[in-house]
Amino acid sequence: MNTSEQELKGLSFNEVVENRKKFGINKSNYKNESRFLSFLKTVFAEPMVVLLLIASAIYFINEQYSDAVFLSVSILLIVAISLYQEKRSQNALAKLQEFTEPLCKVIREGQQQNIKTHDIVVGDLVVIEEGSMVPADGFIIRSNDFSVNESILTGESMSVFKDRKKDDNTVFSGTTVVSGLAVFKVTEVGNQTSLGKIGSSLEAISEEKTPLELQIGNFIKKMVFAGALMFILVWCINYIKLGNILGSLLLALTLAMSILPEEIPVAFTTFMALGSRRLMKLGIIVKQMKTVETLGSATVICTDKTGTITQNKMELARLYLPSGSEVAVNTFRELKETEELLTIAMWASEPIAFDPMEIALHNAYKKNTDKDLRSSFKMIHEYPLSGTPPMMTHLFEDTYGIRIIAAKGAPEAIFEVCHLSKEEKEKVTLAMDKLTRKGYRVLGVAKGNFQGTNFPETQQEIPFIFKGLVAFYDPPKDNIKEVLESFYSAGIGVKIITGDNARTTNAIAQEINFSGFDKAITGEELMKLNDAELQSEVMNINVFSRMFPEAKLRIVNALKANGQIVAMTGDGVNDGPSLKAAHIGIAMGTKGTAIAKDAASLILVEDDLSKMVDAVAMGRKIYTNLKKAIQYIISIHIPIILIVFLPLALGWIYPNIFSPLHVILLELVMGPTCSIIYENEPAEADTMQRGPRPFTSTFFNIKELVVSILQGIAITLGLLFTYQWSVHNQWNEDTTRSMVFLTLMTANVVLTLVNRSFYYSLLVTLRYKNVLIPVIVGITVFLVTLLFAIPYLRSLFSFEPITFIQLISCVLIGSLSVLWFEVAKYFRRRKRS
């Protein structure tokens, strides 16, 4: 494209600045509500905050101002912690949005530039090509065989051909380019585009919750329901004993606060958002947070061959001529037929080549021809890559009317349009098989003959003459063997789904020790199978060759029907449906089209499949750590609930050992522990040897839930023992409260350490690198020290100084109430070994 022409000069820098001020940026903004106000609404809709506000009000009414002020400060602290977590999540998501924003090509000051779509201004000249998304509204000023899919606006799935001479010469933001290339002048950006005007209605569509979100939500609802029942029960018991409505309400609120697991939804959001950010640092862009949850469940990865398993550095290696000769790369110039085959293959490629094979053909033509005719001919018509198997055709003409019609594509497609005899086809097929067995990728080349300008609707109607085969070699990536081994050891199956033929794919697969390289099926064979047959075959076959969009989609759906969690890589326009259908669609960051990136849920920035090993490991780590955090929350809530409820229900001497002040203090310690410490935990040593978790499995199975309940009960027994020991020694209520609180805080710290693994021992996990462990544990110890050292705080919480023996006893009881689980872990390890 000659961008130096006057009409394609584009805007100057000053015009860009002026138009941006005048018409705004190319970004749609609908919601005007302050994020902070929206956040406050969310915070004050939390049950815990409401309970604190009620408790604080009761303290004020009862003129217990110290308690009221402390609870008020606690509310501010909870809001501050939530605001901090929200900010971290928002920052992570904002960073992701920045990375996922596509680039587009514009012409400014006569030069083609790549800019972010939001930087487009009214008046810009934008270049769009096959596979890209139209970034703004405008009218076409130059095009070549250009068609666009406008189904997002019109609902019509058929593509529409457009050019500047037609009445319909406009393009609209959000539509996708199906074929060809165009340059259009921008007339509307942001909210003023056709899509922008209906965008506000799109924002109202709520996103479905994931299975894990639903499971966690259901668990919290059950806890809230249990809390409500216990609240009413305790209020009634206290009212009967005290005869004071507000006093008994305050004590009932203490129990309600101890039951609510409000840390769980905060932990879930924090883990997913920060997990996405960690993946981004590894070069994996997560477009949706819920993908992080799915990663650890992946059971099958369907991967393309070219550019994913191989280097995508196509080198022209061999030529096959109709005469029967096979020509090596270093002897191309020795035969006249060779030059003709290279010339036709070059004309069948895009004039501005970006595909590695087409670049190799242009380079070979330039190197092996005496006269370069590329500047003398102009493309007058194009048939884009289509058909099953696919082929493409270009028609060129010079100023003298001399015409060149060149086609290339899958050899089977070229054989058909050239109408080779049975003997000719057998001869060429034999040569093709010989080349593909060596791992070469083979294309057929044909020369067409057609006069006039009333071009046929399909390229197959043009008469063609077979000109030969061109063979390319694309070496495997250096690290691909190790990547495959990592997937296999993680219990993840790998399937190659490629448009290439079976022999070439098998040769590469064998070279990289690919499991199941010897069994393959083509797209045509696959489409003949019924759904039941395909579901059976798709589990036994790992190499799928000569695939096309419909066949790829059927493979993904068949795997899903078998209960597999499917990750699918893709980069082209045709990969869109299968990427969308897969549980985890993976687009390539470098060679992926806008359509592929839009359909995918993950983008690999460097087109490196080894990053998927990191992504799966990260997904498993995040899921495991979230589980640890929630199991910790359950285990530590049980003793708080029971130490509040049992003394009252059993009529013990000190029925109300903890008040709302103590419960909220414990919540302030536990909240950061679960969402900060466990989120930062490294992956355990056997994370990638455990195999994928079933996606349909509940977040906690009965066994895991029982473990958490047993841990909670054991800590409760430790607290009750401390309580009764104090009563037995006739120590007063404040001393008893102090000892029970210290025992619980010790158990909390030890539980945090022990639950870092439910398999490996504490001695092993203490060596795990997590800088936040000493920080949070240090802060907890320091806080407890302040509570007992400062008289005002001691008085506020109704504590009393205790002796050294009492302190050591509390620490020992608290530790032993948790450390018993180390014995259980020992027997678990012994059983597995």
Side-chain angles (χ1 to χ4, degrees):
M1 184 171 294
N2 184 4
T3 59
S4 64
E5 292 178 37
Q6 187 62 38
E7 64 173 301
L8 291 184
K9 191 174 181 185
L11 299 176
S12 67
F13 176 76
N14 291 334
E15 287 171 323
V16 169
V17 173
E18 191 179 318
N19 285 7
R20 186 172 290 133
K21 283 179 185 174
K22 192 174 178 183
F23 301 104
I25 62 169
N26 189 32
K27 216 168 192 176
S28 299
N29 295 304
Y30 310 109
K31 291 180 181 176
N32 296 318
E33 185 182 18
S34 160
R35 188 192 286 173
F36 181 72
L37 287 175
S38 172
F39 168 74
L40 285 182
K41 283 181 190 174
T42 308
V43 167
F44 287 101
E46 286 293 319
M48 178 60 76
V49 175
V50 174
L51 292 178
L52 280 171
L53 286 169
I54 295 168
S56 185
I58 293 169
Y59 277 130
F60 272 115
I61 292 166
N62 287 345
E63 297 183 359
Q64 294 172 266
Y65 297 121
S66 295
D67 295 348
V69 168
F70 176 78
L71 281 191
S72 301
V73 170
S74 298
I75 293 169
L76 292 174
L77 266 174
I78 285 178
V79 171
I81 290 169
S82 300
L83 193 58
Y84 171 68
Q85 299 280 34
E86 171 82 0
K87 190 71 178 167
R88 287 180 87 194
S89 301
Q90 289 294 341
N91 286 345
L93 294 176
K95 204 80 176 166
L96 289 175
Q97 280 184 331
E98 188 183 314
F99 269 83
T100 53
E101 185 178 354
L103 297 174
C104 61
K105 294 176 186 173
V106 297
I107 299 167
R108 289 178 179 172
E109 297 183 329
Q111 298 294 318
Q112 192 167 289
Q113 305 171 17
N114 286 325
I115 64 167
K116 289 187 174 178
T117 54
H118 76 252
D119 287 331
I120 291 172
V121 297
V122 170
D124 259 327
L125 300 183
V126 181
V127 182
I128 43 177
E129 56 194 349
E130 183 181 322
S132 64
M133 194 170 287
V134 180
D137 289 4
F139 60 88
I140 297 167
I141 60 170
R142 181 72 65 83
S143 66
N144 178 22
D145 193 37
F146 177 75
S147 69
V148 65
N149 183 317
E150 296 181 335
S151 58
I152 192 170
L153 293 174
T154 63
E156 177 56 58
S157 60
M158 297 296 290
S159 56
V160 184
F161 279 87
K162 300 190 175 198
D163 63 49
R164 66 175 178 175
K165 294 172 187 173
K166 290 186 177 179
D167 291 337
D168 184 6
N169 65 352
T170 51
V171 289
F172 302 100
S173 175
T175 58
T176 49
V177 181
V178 177
S179 66
L181 180 143
V183 179
F184 76 93
K185 189 168 187 174
V186 176
T187 55
E188 305 288 354
V189 293
N191 284 14
Q192 297 309 308
T193 63
S194 298
L195 188 65
K197 285 171 184 173
I198 62 168
S200 52
S201 61
L202 295 175
E203 284 215 339
I205 301 168
S206 58
E207 208 174 279
E208 281 186 40
K209 288 186 181 292
T210 66
L212 180 56
E213 281 179 291
L214 291 171
Q215 286 172 31
I216 288 173
N218 289 334
F219 176 76
I220 291 168
K221 281 175 189 172
K222 286 172 187 172
M223 292 290 279
V224 170
F225 180 70
L229 289 178
M230 297 283 277
F231 169 75
I232 294 165
L233 179 64
V234 172
W235 192 2
C236 292
I237 293 171
N238 272 303
Y239 181 67
I240 291 165
K241 287 187 175 183
L242 301 173
N244 182 334
I245 290 180
L246 288 179
S248 54
L249 175 60
L250 196 61
L251 295 168
L253 285 172
T254 307
L255 185 70
M257 285 163 59
S258 68
I259 290 174
L260 281 178
E262 84 292 338
E263 306 96 338
I264 293 178
V266 174
F268 177 81
T269 308
T270 303
F271 272 63
M272 294 302 151
L274 295 183
S276 300
R277 190 164 185 177
R278 289 181 194 279
L279 285 166
M280 189 176 67
K281 287 178 180 175
L282 293 173
I284 305 152
I285 297 170
V286 182
K287 290 173 64 187
Q288 295 173 311
M289 278 205 301
K290 63 185 179 184
T291 309
V292 177
E293 168 195 333
T294 316
L295 278 169
S297 300
T299 57
V300 175
I301 288 186
C302 301
T303 174
D304 187 17
K305 178 178 75 69
T306 307
T308 307
I309 284 175
T310 61
Q311 295 179 25
N312 202 24
K313 293 179 180 175
M314 286 291 183
E315 299 166 2
L316 192 58
R318 289 277 194 282
L319 298 180
Y320 173 79
L321 304 170
S323 61
S325 305
E326 187 182 309
V327 186
V329 68
N330 55 345
T331 57
F332 279 0
R333 273 186 169 271
E334 294 176 13
L335 295 167
K336 187 67 182 170
E337 285 175 278
T338 303
E339 187 180 343
E340 188 181 9
L341 173 57
L342 279 176
T343 303
I344 298 299
M346 183 278 297
W347 288 122
S349 304
E350 293 294 336
I352 303 170
F354 56 89
D355 179 83
M357 286 191 291
E358 295 189 338
I359 292 169
L361 288 170
H362 272 275
N363 291 340
Y365 168 77
K366 189 176 179 181
K367 186 178 176 183
N368 293 284
T369 189
D370 295 321
K371 190 177 181 183
D372 190 340
L373 299 173
R374 285 178 292 183
S375 59
S376 305
F377 282 79
K378 183 182 178 183
M379 189 189 289
I380 56 169
H381 195 67
E382 176 185 18
Y383 293 97
L385 191 68
S386 61
T388 308
M391 63 175 284
M392 63 192 294
T393 305
H394 289 162
L395 287 83
F396 289 87
E397 203 169 78
D398 67 3
T399 51
Y400 302 105
I402 298 170
R403 184 174 288 182
I404 298 170
I405 303 174
K408 68 174 170 62
E412 300 90 336
I414 298 298
F415 298 164
E416 286 300 314
V417 295
C418 292
H419 306 293
L420 297 180
S421 66
K422 188 181 177 184
E423 292 76 16
E424 285 174 325
K425 192 180 283 189
E426 284 176 359
K427 183 182 172 185
V428 180
T429 302
L430 201 67
M432 181 183 76
D433 289 346
K434 187 180 170 186
L435 291 168
T436 53
R437 271 197 295 268
K438 294 175 183 174
Y440 295 143
R441 186 168 183 184
V442 181
L443 295 179
V445 179
K447 185 178 182 180
N449 181 27
F450 184 83
Q451 300 301 318
T453 54
N454 189 19
F455 301 115
E457 193 173 326
T458 65
Q459 56 193 328
Q460 286 79 5
E461 295 172 55
I462 297 173
F464 284 102
I465 300 167
F466 180 66
K467 286 297 173 184
L469 303 173
V470 288
F472 303 85
Y473 183 62
D474 183 13
K477 287 185 174 178
D478 297 334
N479 66 343
I480 197 65
K481 287 183 182 179
E482 291 78 15
V483 171
L484 290 174
E485 276 306 312
S486 298
F487 284 133
Y488 296 148
S489 65
I492 299 171
V494 185
K495 298 185 185 292
I496 297 175
I497 301 179
T498 178
D500 215 340
N501 68 55
R503 290 186 184 277
T504 302
T505 308
N506 285 356
I508 292 290
Q510 191 169 2
E511 189 180 339
I512 61 174
N513 300 331
F514 182 78
S515 177
F517 68 85
D518 51 335
K519 288 175 76 176
I521 189 171
T522 66
E524 276 190 18
E525 291 167 345
L526 185 143
M527 293 305 282
K528 290 173 186 173
L529 301 175
N530 63 39
D531 289 346
E533 289 169 336
L534 180 58
Q535 280 183 42
S536 172
E537 287 295 298
V538 83
M539 298 304 292
N540 301 319
I541 294 173
N542 289 341
V543 177
F544 298 83
S545 59
R546 284 282 180 255
M547 287 293 140
F548 39 91
E550 296 83 2
K552 288 182 182 181
L553 189 58
R554 282 200 75 195
I555 293 168
V556 171
N557 288 332
L559 287 167
K560 285 167 74 176
N562 280 322
Q564 300 295 308
I565 304 301
V566 186
M568 173 91 188
T569 70
D571 53 33
V573 178
N574 294 334
D575 293 321
S578 50
L579 287 173
K580 201 83 174 172
H583 294 99
I584 308 165
I586 307 156
M588 298 299 157
T590 305
K591 63 180 181 130
T593 60
I595 291 175
K597 289 176 185 175
D598 185 56
S601 47
L602 281 184
I603 299 171
L604 300 184
V605 176
E606 296 172 0
D607 294 9
D608 184 356
L609 196 61
S610 69
K611 295 294 181 186
M612 271 311 294
V613 178
D614 298 333
V616 170
M618 183 70 76
R620 290 185 182 182
K621 184 191 93 165
I622 290 165
Y623 185 83
T624 304
N625 286 347
L626 180 59
K627 230 173 164 177
K628 289 175 190 174
I630 296 177
Q631 282 187 271
Y632 158 82
I633 292 165
I634 293 168
S635 296
I636 203 65
H637 266 269
I638 289 169
I640 298 172
I641 296 164
L642 294 178
I643 201 64
V644 170
F645 178 69
L646 288 177
L648 174 70
L650 299 174
W652 287 3
I653 188 169
Y654 308 132
N656 299 303
I657 200 76
F658 285 162
S659 71
L661 273 68
H662 300 99
V663 174
I664 196 58
L665 184 67
L666 290 164
E667 295 285 347
L668 289 171
V669 170
M670 292 185 307
T673 300
C674 68
S675 60
I676 295 177
I677 283 185
Y678 285 112
E679 194 283 324
N680 201 51
E681 276 289 273
E684 291 186 43
D686 63 343
T687 296
M688 288 300 279
Q689 279 76 49
R690 290 177 188 170
R693 67 174 176 88
F695 191 58
T696 51
S697 67
T698 54
F699 189 60
F700 287 128
N701 58 42
I702 294 296
K703 195 175 176 183
E704 289 166 333
L705 202 55
V706 165
V707 166
S708 293
I709 292 168
L710 285 175
Q711 283 185 312
I713 290 170
I715 295 169
T716 306
L717 291 173
L719 298 183
L720 296 176
F721 177 81
T722 304
Y723 181 107
Q724 287 296 351
W725 180 47
S726 177
V727 170
H728 176 74
N729 286 299
Q730 296 182 342
W731 293 325
N732 64 27
E733 186 175 0
D734 287 357
T735 301
T736 305
R737 181 177 292 111
S738 302
M739 291 179 68
V740 169
F741 183 81
L742 276 171
T743 306
L744 181 56
M745 291 303 282
T746 303
N748 176 62
V749 169
V750 179
L751 183 72
T752 304
L753 299 173
V754 166
N755 280 18
R756 292 176 75 193
S757 174
F758 287 84
Y759 179 78
Y760 293 106
S761 74
L762 182 60
L763 295 173
V764 172
T765 56
L766 282 173
R767 294 197 292 269
Y768 287 179
K769 189 180 178 183
N770 186 343
V771 293
L772 293 177
I773 291 277
V775 173
I776 299 295
V777 171
I779 290 170
T780 304
V781 173
F782 179 67
L783 180 65
V784 173
T785 306
L786 288 180
L787 289 174
F788 283 88
I790 298 172
Y792 172 75
L793 291 177
R794 208 165 52 232
S795 169
L796 180 66
F797 288 94
S798 302
F799 289 150
E800 197 166 283
I802 58 174
T803 66
F804 181 72
I805 296 297
Q806 288 170 330
L807 172 64
I808 293 299
S809 301
C810 292
V811 170
L812 280 173
I813 295 166
S815 299
L816 290 172
S817 68
V818 177
L819 287 172
W820 66 270
F821 189 60
E822 287 297 309
V823 179
K825 287 199 280 186
Y826 168 76
F827 283 110
R828 182 179 288 182
R829 291 194 300 275
R830 193 171 172 185
K831 186 180 177 183
R832 188 188 283 189
S833 63

